[in-house]
Amino acid sequence: MIPLALGVLWYRKKLPYKVIYVGILGIMGICMLLTFSRGAWLGLIVALVGFFVVRDKRLFILFLVALLVMPFALPDSVMHRFTSIGDLSDTSSSYRMSILIGSLRMAGDYWLSGIGLGSQSFEAIYPKYSLAAAYADHSHNIYLQVILEMGAAGALVFMLIILVFARATLAQQGKTKDRFLSSIMIASCTGVGGYLVQGLVENIWYNYRVLHIFWVVVAVGLCALRLARDEVKTDA
């Protein structure tokens, strides 16, 4: 949602509106920090980099400056959490690595058909393949989870949906003259991209409310895409 708020902020010209959306971004940014979710932080960084590069490369330079300043502005607890990314001696990282290996073993047997949707299916079968992490609700990886639940065909369809969505929105944003629609398409596409980066270390669809938000953002991007295409047809 942060890229979408950023996209609207980019479009708004009047100062009062900019102040409102800066406030909204600030609140969401603080909430993001307080999650202490390293995967979410990485996903947000990727989403913002993508937004700035596509929208205006000059903003990307400012973003790099902000990243350099962040270690001096953020609390030590946040920086310690962030720098522990990739540290397998970290309890959380080693636990997830064990779940990942066990899930990969399970996927080796069920990659074609899948095991069915939901955590109950996973919890019933995973113990047969678990290592040190004897209990888990899911694989902590969205791509692996999709393969486990829906098999190779389901994973292929999911990836095709994402690729078609990204290709269509990014191509159309460069054709439309409407700054608002362009910003929304870029924001929705990069937001989904950041979301999927977090999916490398987390099953981001485990919570159905978060799953709902994912498809809402996709739908917002597709609505902007449809409006932009109608605009091009009208101009023609």
Side-chain angles (χ1 to χ4, degrees):
M1 297 304 293
I2 289 177
L4 279 177
L6 189 61
V8 178
L9 173 64
W10 178 265
Y11 165 74
R12 291 292 188 180
K13 295 181 179 180
K14 294 183 179 179
L15 182 60
Y17 290 110
K18 286 188 176 294
V19 171
I20 291 173
Y21 280 100
V22 166
I24 292 173
L25 281 168
I27 292 171
M28 288 195 291
I30 292 171
C31 289
M32 176 68 79
L33 285 176
L34 293 178
T35 64
F36 277 80
S37 171
R38 295 167 294 183
W41 295 347
L42 282 176
L44 178 60
I45 289 174
V46 170
L48 293 179
V49 168
F51 181 87
F52 292 141
V53 168
V54 178
R55 179 74 281 176
D56 191 330
K57 293 181 177 60
R58 294 172 297 178
L59 291 175
F60 179 62
I61 297 175
L62 293 176
F63 178 69
L64 289 178
V65 173
L67 285 180
L68 294 175
V69 173
M70 280 175 59
F72 303 99
L74 295 176
D76 292 339
S77 58
V78 173
M79 290 308 304
H80 175 73
R81 179 71 173 165
F82 191 83
T83 55
S84 66
I85 295 175
D87 182 5
L88 294 182
S89 63
D90 179 77
T91 305
S92 176
S93 298
S94 59
Y95 176 76
R96 294 192 183 198
M97 182 59 68
S98 180
I99 294 175
L100 178 63
I101 295 173
S103 299
L104 285 170
R105 294 172 62 197
M106 184 162 58
D109 289 340
Y110 293 95
W111 66 271
L112 182 59
S113 63
I115 61 174
L117 301 176
S119 59
Q120 290 183 337
S121 299
F122 187 90
E123 292 168 2
I125 299 175
Y126 171 76
K128 300 177 183 178
Y129 298 88
S130 64
L131 300 176
Y135 175 80
D137 294 320
H138 49 81
S139 63
H140 285 281
N141 181 293
I142 184 61
Y143 308 97
L144 183 54
Q145 191 71 26
V146 170
I147 293 174
L148 284 170
E149 292 188 355
M150 296 186 286
L156 178 61
V157 170
F158 169 64
M159 293 306 300
L160 285 175
I161 289 173
I162 297 303
L163 289 173
V164 170
F165 168 75
R167 182 177 180 274
T169 51
L170 291 178
Q172 193 64 39
Q173 67 83 24
K175 299 177 182 178
T176 181
K177 299 177 182 178
D178 191 314
R179 292 177 66 250
F180 176 72
L181 294 179
S182 176
S183 291
I184 293 300
M185 283 187 284
I186 295 171
S188 60
C189 184
T190 55
V192 166
Y195 193 94
L196 293 175
V197 168
Q198 183 184 359
L200 292 169
V201 294
E202 183 58 84
N203 174 24
I204 45 181
W205 286 356
Y206 178 69
N207 185 304
Y208 293 118
R209 289 171 295 182
V210 180
L211 167 63
H212 174 71
I213 290 294
F214 175 85
W215 293 111
V216 165
V217 173
V218 171
V220 168
L222 291 175
C223 287
L225 172 66
R226 178 63 180 271
L227 291 171
R229 284 177 173 173
D230 289 345
E231 173 199 54
V232 172
K233 290 178 181 178
T234 302
D235 292 342

